[in-house]
Protein backbone atom coordinates (compact mmCIF):
# COMPACT_ATOMS: atom_id res chain seq x y z
CA UNK A 1 0.00 0.00 0.00
CA UNK A 2 1.42 3.40 -1.01
CA UNK A 3 1.26 6.38 1.39
CA UNK A 4 -0.76 9.42 0.22
CA UNK A 5 1.15 11.70 -2.18
CA UNK A 6 1.19 15.18 -0.63
CA UNK A 7 2.54 17.23 -3.55
CA UNK A 8 2.50 20.54 -1.60
CA UNK A 9 4.75 18.95 1.02
CA UNK A 10 7.09 17.44 -1.60
CA UNK A 11 7.36 20.75 -3.47
CA UNK A 12 8.83 22.32 -0.33
CA UNK A 13 12.06 20.56 -1.38
CA UNK A 14 12.34 22.80 -4.48
CA UNK A 15 15.36 25.06 -4.10
CA UNK A 16 17.29 22.76 -1.72
CA UNK A 17 20.92 22.54 -2.73
CA UNK A 18 24.05 20.59 -1.98
CA UNK A 19 27.69 20.59 -3.09
CA UNK A 20 30.31 17.83 -3.36
CA UNK A 21 33.88 17.56 -4.63
CA UNK A 22 35.90 14.68 -6.10
CA UNK A 23 38.96 13.97 -8.24
CA UNK A 24 39.01 12.41 -11.71
CA UNK A 25 41.49 9.57 -11.27
CA UNK A 26 43.21 7.55 -13.98
CA UNK A 27 41.81 4.35 -12.42
CA UNK A 28 38.25 5.69 -12.66
CA UNK A 29 38.79 6.66 -16.30
CA UNK A 30 40.15 3.19 -17.10
CA UNK A 31 37.15 1.53 -15.43
CA UNK A 32 34.66 3.75 -17.24
CA UNK A 33 36.34 3.29 -20.62
CA UNK A 34 36.22 -0.50 -20.15
CA UNK A 35 32.53 -0.34 -19.21
CA UNK A 36 31.73 1.84 -22.24
CA UNK A 37 33.39 -0.70 -24.59
CA UNK A 38 36.35 1.63 -25.28
CA UNK A 39 40.05 0.95 -25.48
CA UNK A 40 41.27 1.09 -21.88
CA UNK A 41 44.82 2.39 -22.45
CA UNK A 42 46.90 4.10 -19.74
CA UNK A 43 45.26 7.49 -19.13
CA UNK A 44 47.70 10.20 -17.99
CA UNK A 45 47.15 13.46 -16.09
CA UNK A 46 45.46 15.93 -18.45
CA UNK A 47 43.88 13.29 -20.73
CA UNK A 48 40.18 13.85 -21.43
CA UNK A 49 37.85 11.49 -19.54
CA UNK A 50 34.71 9.96 -21.11
CA UNK A 51 32.14 12.74 -21.52
CA UNK A 52 29.83 11.56 -18.73
CA UNK A 53 32.52 10.79 -16.14
CA UNK A 54 30.78 13.29 -13.81
CA UNK A 55 28.12 10.64 -13.06
CA UNK A 56 30.87 8.67 -11.31
CA UNK A 57 32.11 11.60 -9.22
CA UNK A 58 31.28 12.62 -5.64
CA UNK A 59 28.27 10.32 -5.37
CA UNK A 60 26.53 10.45 -1.96
CA UNK A 61 27.90 7.92 0.55
CA UNK A 62 25.59 6.82 3.38
CA UNK A 63 26.08 4.13 6.02
CA UNK A 64 24.23 0.84 5.37
CA UNK A 65 21.81 1.71 8.18
CA UNK A 66 20.59 4.72 6.16
CA UNK A 67 19.65 2.84 2.98
CA UNK A 68 16.05 2.20 1.93
CA UNK A 69 14.68 -1.17 0.72
CA UNK A 70 15.67 -0.34 -2.91
CA UNK A 71 19.33 0.23 -1.94
CA UNK A 72 19.19 4.03 -2.40
CA UNK A 73 19.68 6.37 0.58
CA UNK A 74 16.46 6.81 2.55
CA UNK A 75 14.46 9.64 0.97
CA UNK A 76 13.79 12.95 2.71
CA UNK A 77 17.35 14.29 2.84
CA UNK A 78 18.38 16.19 -0.27
CA UNK A 79 15.73 14.37 -2.36
CA UNK A 80 12.08 14.72 -1.30
CA UNK A 81 10.39 11.81 0.54
CA UNK A 82 8.27 10.63 -2.41
CA UNK A 83 6.16 7.73 -1.10
CA UNK A 84 6.02 5.83 -4.43
CA UNK A 85 8.27 2.77 -4.17
CA UNK A 86 9.80 2.28 -7.63
CA UNK A 87 12.52 4.81 -8.55
CA UNK A 88 13.82 5.16 -12.12
CA UNK A 89 16.05 7.57 -13.99
CA UNK A 90 13.61 9.09 -16.49
CA UNK A 91 15.89 11.30 -18.59
CA UNK A 92 17.42 14.74 -18.68
CA UNK A 93 19.35 17.34 -20.61
CA UNK A 94 23.13 17.88 -20.62
CA UNK A 95 25.13 20.86 -21.83
CA UNK A 96 28.76 19.92 -22.48
CA UNK A 97 31.01 22.99 -22.17
CA UNK A 98 34.47 21.42 -21.81
CA UNK A 99 35.80 17.96 -20.94
CA UNK A 100 36.84 16.87 -17.46
CA UNK A 101 40.43 15.61 -17.44
CA UNK A 102 42.45 13.10 -15.44
CA UNK A 103 43.72 14.84 -12.29
CA UNK A 104 40.94 17.48 -12.21
CA UNK A 105 39.34 18.35 -8.92
CA UNK A 106 35.68 18.71 -9.79
CA UNK A 107 32.87 20.29 -7.78
CA UNK A 108 29.20 19.58 -8.37
CA UNK A 109 26.50 21.98 -7.16
CA UNK A 110 23.01 20.46 -7.20
CA UNK A 111 19.57 21.99 -6.72
CA UNK A 112 16.06 20.52 -6.67
CA UNK A 113 14.42 22.33 -9.60
CA UNK A 114 10.93 20.82 -9.75
CA UNK A 115 8.62 18.14 -8.34
CA UNK A 116 5.52 17.14 -10.33
CA UNK A 117 2.91 14.42 -10.17
CA UNK A 118 1.56 13.05 -13.47
CA UNK A 119 -0.74 10.30 -14.52
CA UNK A 120 0.91 7.90 -16.97
CA UNK A 121 -0.23 4.81 -18.86
CA UNK A 122 1.56 2.76 -16.17
CA UNK A 123 0.00 4.57 -13.20
CA UNK A 124 0.89 7.55 -10.98
CA UNK A 125 4.31 9.07 -11.64
CA UNK A 126 6.16 11.59 -9.50
CA UNK A 127 8.99 13.39 -11.33
CA UNK A 128 11.80 15.11 -9.41
CA UNK A 129 14.08 17.29 -11.56
CA UNK A 130 17.55 18.06 -10.24
CA UNK A 131 19.85 20.65 -11.81
CA UNK A 132 23.61 20.20 -11.53
CA UNK A 133 26.56 22.37 -12.44
CA UNK A 134 29.91 20.57 -12.58
CA UNK A 135 33.12 22.56 -12.60
CA UNK A 136 36.81 21.83 -13.09
CA UNK A 137 39.78 24.13 -12.34
CA UNK A 138 39.16 25.61 -15.83
CA UNK A 139 35.56 26.67 -15.08
CA UNK A 140 32.11 25.12 -15.62
CA UNK A 141 32.45 21.87 -17.57
CA UNK A 142 28.87 20.56 -17.61
CA UNK A 143 25.39 21.80 -16.79
CA UNK A 144 22.58 19.31 -16.63
CA UNK A 145 19.07 18.48 -15.52
CA UNK A 146 18.32 14.96 -14.34
CA UNK A 147 14.73 13.75 -14.15
CA UNK A 148 14.10 11.03 -11.59
CA UNK A 149 10.70 9.31 -11.65
CA UNK A 150 9.01 7.42 -8.82
CA UNK A 151 6.35 4.89 -9.81
CA UNK A 152 3.61 3.15 -7.92
CA UNK A 153 3.55 -0.63 -7.60
CA UNK A 154 1.46 -1.55 -10.67
CA UNK A 155 2.27 -3.80 -13.59
CA UNK A 156 5.23 -2.54 -15.70
CA UNK A 157 3.25 -2.89 -18.90
CA UNK A 158 0.93 -0.03 -19.89
CA UNK A 159 -2.75 -0.97 -19.64
CA UNK A 160 -4.07 -2.18 -23.03
CA UNK A 161 -0.56 -2.20 -24.55
CA UNK A 162 -0.60 -2.73 -28.34
CA UNK A 163 1.92 -4.60 -30.49
CA UNK A 164 5.01 -2.38 -30.88
CA UNK A 165 5.58 -0.57 -34.20
CA UNK A 166 8.32 -1.90 -36.50
CA UNK A 167 11.78 -1.04 -35.12
CA UNK A 168 13.25 2.21 -36.51
CA UNK A 169 16.03 1.99 -39.14
CA UNK A 170 19.45 3.30 -38.16
CA UNK A 171 22.25 4.74 -40.33
CA UNK A 172 24.75 3.80 -37.63
CA UNK A 173 24.41 0.85 -35.27
CA UNK A 174 26.69 -0.75 -32.71
CA UNK A 175 25.61 -3.95 -30.95
CA UNK A 176 26.88 -5.41 -27.69
CA UNK A 177 26.14 -8.45 -25.61
CA UNK A 178 24.35 -7.51 -22.43
CA UNK A 179 25.82 -9.06 -19.33
CA UNK A 180 25.10 -8.60 -15.59
CA UNK A 181 28.82 -7.85 -15.12
CA UNK A 182 28.36 -4.73 -17.28
CA UNK A 183 25.54 -3.56 -14.99
CA UNK A 184 27.54 -4.44 -11.87
CA UNK A 185 30.54 -2.47 -13.15
CA UNK A 186 28.43 0.62 -13.84
CA UNK A 187 26.75 0.40 -10.41
CA UNK A 188 30.21 0.19 -8.81
CA UNK A 189 31.66 3.08 -10.85
CA UNK A 190 28.72 5.31 -9.88
CA UNK A 191 28.45 3.99 -6.27
CA UNK A 192 24.78 3.33 -7.06
CA UNK A 193 23.26 0.76 -4.70
CA UNK A 194 19.89 0.56 -6.54
CA UNK A 195 19.00 -3.13 -6.38
CA UNK A 196 17.13 -3.15 -9.72
CA UNK A 197 20.51 -3.24 -11.49
CA UNK A 198 22.09 -6.26 -9.74
CA UNK A 199 19.66 -8.04 -7.37
CA UNK A 200 17.55 -10.33 -9.57
CA UNK A 201 15.37 -11.56 -6.69
CA UNK A 202 14.56 -7.98 -5.67
CA UNK A 203 13.87 -6.65 -9.18
CA UNK A 204 11.58 -9.56 -10.13
CA UNK A 205 9.87 -10.41 -6.84
CA UNK A 206 9.64 -6.97 -5.18
CA UNK A 207 9.48 -4.46 -8.07
CA UNK A 208 7.84 -6.91 -10.50
CA UNK A 209 10.08 -6.40 -13.55
CA UNK A 210 11.11 -9.39 -15.69
CA UNK A 211 14.87 -9.01 -15.09
CA UNK A 212 17.80 -6.76 -14.18
CA UNK A 213 17.46 -3.25 -15.60
CA UNK A 214 20.12 -1.25 -17.46
CA UNK A 215 20.93 2.07 -15.83
CA UNK A 216 19.50 5.11 -17.63
CA UNK A 217 22.82 6.95 -17.31
CA UNK A 218 24.72 3.95 -18.74
CA UNK A 219 22.51 4.03 -21.84
CA UNK A 220 22.89 7.82 -22.09
CA UNK A 221 26.68 7.53 -21.66
CA UNK A 222 26.92 4.98 -24.50
CA UNK A 223 24.76 7.19 -26.73
CA UNK A 224 26.84 10.33 -26.04
CA UNK A 225 30.08 8.47 -26.79
CA UNK A 226 28.65 7.21 -30.09
CA UNK A 227 27.46 10.71 -31.00
CA UNK A 228 30.94 12.11 -30.34
CA UNK A 229 32.63 9.28 -32.27
CA UNK A 230 30.52 10.16 -35.32
CA UNK A 231 31.46 13.89 -34.94
CA UNK A 232 35.28 13.84 -34.89
CA UNK A 233 35.35 13.06 -31.17
CA UNK A 234 33.43 16.22 -30.25
CA UNK A 235 30.75 16.01 -27.59
CA UNK A 236 27.45 17.58 -28.60
CA UNK A 237 26.75 21.07 -27.25
CA UNK A 238 23.47 19.77 -25.86
CA UNK A 239 22.05 16.29 -25.43
CA UNK A 240 18.42 15.74 -24.43
CA UNK A 241 17.24 12.22 -23.64
CA UNK A 242 14.34 10.23 -22.24
CA UNK A 243 13.95 6.61 -21.16
CA UNK A 244 10.91 5.27 -23.02
CA UNK A 245 10.91 1.72 -21.65
CA UNK A 246 13.32 -0.28 -19.48
CA UNK A 247 16.18 -2.18 -21.14
CA UNK A 248 16.42 -5.57 -19.47
CA UNK A 249 19.34 -7.95 -19.24
CA UNK A 250 19.25 -10.29 -22.21
CA UNK A 251 21.20 -11.38 -25.19
CA UNK A 252 22.00 -8.22 -27.14
CA UNK A 253 21.37 -4.49 -27.19
CA UNK A 254 22.29 -1.75 -29.65
CA UNK A 255 23.24 1.91 -29.82
CA UNK A 256 21.82 3.64 -32.90
CA UNK A 257 22.12 6.98 -34.66
CA UNK A 258 20.59 8.86 -37.58
CA UNK A 259 21.91 12.16 -38.93
CA UNK A 260 19.36 14.99 -39.02
CA UNK A 261 19.57 18.59 -40.21
CA UNK A 262 19.96 19.81 -36.64
CA UNK A 263 22.39 17.11 -35.42
CA UNK A 264 21.58 13.50 -34.61
CA UNK A 265 18.73 11.41 -33.27
CA UNK A 266 20.11 8.54 -31.22
CA UNK A 267 18.68 5.64 -29.26
CA UNK A 268 19.51 2.46 -27.46
CA UNK A 269 17.38 -0.55 -28.40
CA UNK A 270 16.64 -3.99 -27.02
CA UNK A 271 17.26 -7.27 -28.86
CA UNK A 272 14.01 -6.76 -30.81
CA UNK A 273 15.27 -3.38 -32.03
CA UNK A 274 12.71 -1.43 -29.96
CA UNK A 275 14.03 1.89 -28.55
CA UNK A 276 14.58 2.00 -24.79
CA UNK A 277 16.21 5.44 -24.49
CA UNK A 278 15.90 8.19 -27.10
CA UNK A 279 18.12 11.24 -27.33
CA UNK A 280 18.75 14.31 -29.50
CA UNK A 281 22.26 15.68 -29.91
CA UNK A 282 23.05 19.14 -31.26
CA UNK A 283 26.56 20.55 -31.92
C1 LIG B 1 20.23 5.01 -12.23
C2 LIG B 1 18.91 4.84 -11.59
C3 LIG B 1 17.82 4.24 -12.13
C4 LIG B 1 17.72 3.79 -13.49
O1 LIG B 1 18.60 3.88 -14.26
S1 LIG B 1 16.20 3.08 -13.97
C5 LIG B 1 16.47 2.59 -15.65
C6 LIG B 1 16.40 3.68 -16.65
N1 LIG B 1 15.06 4.23 -16.82
C7 LIG B 1 14.08 3.59 -17.45
O2 LIG B 1 14.25 2.46 -17.87
C8 LIG B 1 12.76 4.32 -17.62
C9 LIG B 1 12.07 3.88 -18.90
N2 LIG B 1 10.77 4.53 -19.05
C10 LIG B 1 9.63 4.01 -18.56
O3 LIG B 1 9.63 2.95 -17.94
C11 LIG B 1 8.36 4.78 -18.83
O4 LIG B 1 8.58 5.68 -19.87
C12 LIG B 1 7.88 5.56 -17.57
C13 LIG B 1 8.94 6.54 -17.04
C14 LIG B 1 7.47 4.56 -16.47
C15 LIG B 1 6.63 6.41 -17.97
O5 LIG B 1 5.77 5.62 -18.71
P1 LIG B 1 4.20 5.92 -18.79
O6 LIG B 1 3.71 5.15 -19.98
O7 LIG B 1 3.52 5.65 -17.50
O8 LIG B 1 4.13 7.48 -19.05
P2 LIG B 1 3.39 8.23 -20.23
O9 LIG B 1 4.12 8.02 -21.50
O10 LIG B 1 1.94 7.85 -20.20
O11 LIG B 1 3.57 9.76 -19.84
C16 LIG B 1 2.90 10.34 -18.73
C17 LIG B 1 3.51 11.71 -18.48
O12 LIG B 1 4.86 11.56 -18.03
C18 LIG B 1 5.77 12.21 -18.96
N3 LIG B 1 6.92 11.29 -19.13
C19 LIG B 1 6.86 10.01 -19.50
N4 LIG B 1 8.10 9.48 -19.56
C20 LIG B 1 8.94 10.48 -19.22
C21 LIG B 1 10.36 10.56 -19.12
N5 LIG B 1 11.14 9.50 -19.36
N6 LIG B 1 10.91 11.74 -18.76
C22 LIG B 1 10.15 12.83 -18.49
N7 LIG B 1 8.78 12.80 -18.57
C23 LIG B 1 8.20 11.66 -18.94
C24 LIG B 1 5.00 12.33 -20.25
O13 LIG B 1 5.48 13.38 -21.04
C25 LIG B 1 3.60 12.59 -19.74
O14 LIG B 1 3.55 13.95 -19.32
P3 LIG B 1 2.31 14.89 -19.67
O15 LIG B 1 2.72 16.24 -19.14
O16 LIG B 1 2.16 14.84 -21.16
O17 LIG B 1 1.15 14.29 -18.94
C26 LIG B 1 18.76 5.35 -10.23
O18 LIG B 1 17.71 5.15 -9.63
O19 LIG B 1 19.71 5.98 -9.72
Amino acid sequence: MTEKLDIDHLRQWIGRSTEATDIVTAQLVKGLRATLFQEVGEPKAGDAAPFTVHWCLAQPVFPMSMLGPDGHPTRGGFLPPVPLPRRMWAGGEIEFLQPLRVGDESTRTSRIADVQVKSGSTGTLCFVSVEHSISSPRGVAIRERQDIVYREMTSSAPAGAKAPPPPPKAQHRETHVSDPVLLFRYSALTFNGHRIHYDRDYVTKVEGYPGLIFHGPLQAALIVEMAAKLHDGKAPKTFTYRGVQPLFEGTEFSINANETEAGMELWTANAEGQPTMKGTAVW
Side-chain angles (χ1 to χ4, degrees):
M1 176 78 106
T2 300
E3 262 176 72
K4 192 175 167 307
L5 241 170
D6 181 349
I7 186 64
D8 293 336
H9 177 61
L10 298 177
R11 286 180 67 82
Q12 287 173 16
W13 262 253
I14 295 173
R16 283 201 187 197
S17 63
T18 183
E19 194 175 282
T21 296
D22 202 350
I23 295 191
V24 182
T25 65
Q27 180 68 14
L28 169 63
V29 168
K30 282 171 83 167
L32 187 56
R33 283 182 182 169
T35 307
L36 299 180
F37 303 97
Q38 297 178 349
E39 204 179 309
V40 176
E42 282 299 338
K44 306 265 183 312
D47 287 356
F51 296 107
T52 56
V53 72
H54 63 289
W55 286 334
C56 307
L57 296 173
Q59 290 308 311
V61 177
F62 285 85
M64 296 301 287
S65 58
M66 288 182 68
L67 301 183
D70 64 357
H72 270 301
T74 322
R75 299 171 200 166
F78 172 61
L79 289 172
V82 180
L84 304 177
R86 299 196 291 176
R87 171 182 153 144
M88 291 192 123
W89 184 294
E93 177 157 3
I94 318 179
E95 193 185 348
F96 293 102
L97 302 168
Q98 49 177 310
L100 288 167
R101 297 183 178 278
V102 175
D104 280 351
E105 183 175 280
S106 168
T107 298
R108 182 187 59 238
T109 309
S110 310
R111 177 183 169 275
I112 307 290
D114 202 6
V115 183
Q116 284 201 32
V117 177
K118 294 190 175 186
S119 181
S121 71
T122 60
T124 302
L125 306 169
C126 181
F127 289 93
V128 177
S129 297
V130 188
E131 287 172 353
H132 303 278
S133 170
I134 295 104
S135 65
S136 78
R138 295 171 298 283
V140 178
I142 291 163
R143 286 198 203 95
E144 72 165 327
R145 189 197 71 249
Q146 288 171 8
D147 301 324
I148 305 294
V149 63
Y150 297 90
R151 308 181 55 205
E152 63 183 325
M153 199 59 86
T154 54
S155 129
S156 332
K162 300 190 205 97
K169 290 205 163 60
Q171 290 164 344
H172 309 276
R173 170 166 291 160
E174 217 179 274
T175 55
H176 296 285
V177 173
S178 94
D179 182 329
V181 177
L182 177 69
L183 303 188
F184 165 78
R185 282 183 159 195
Y186 198 74
S187 292
L189 285 165
T190 53
F191 201 68
N192 185 330
H194 203 177
R195 290 178 183 275
I196 63 171
H197 306 301
Y198 60 86
D199 183 340
R200 198 172 284 120
D201 256 12
Y202 172 85
V203 76
T204 55
K205 294 183 184 153
V206 178
E207 294 218 8
Y209 293 104
L212 297 175
I213 299 178
F214 269 62
H215 313 70
L218 172 56
Q219 295 178 66
L222 290 164
I223 291 175
V224 167
E225 293 296 331
M226 183 181 204
K229 199 159 79 181
L230 295 168
H231 272 250
D232 298 326
K234 271 187 68 182
K237 200 156 160 271
T238 57
F239 176 63
T240 313
Y241 62 101
R242 193 180 257 222
V244 293
Q245 62 170 320
L247 175 55
F248 298 107
E249 60 177 325
T251 51
E252 187 183 278
F253 70 98
S254 61
I255 314 156
N256 305 271
N258 281 334
E259 323 266 354
T260 64
E261 260 179 39
M264 297 196 105
E265 295 296 331
L266 301 110
W267 67 99
T268 42
N270 59 23
E272 289 72 49
Q274 292 299 335
T276 55
M277 176 168 286
K278 291 181 178 178
T280 303
V282 176
W283 280 262

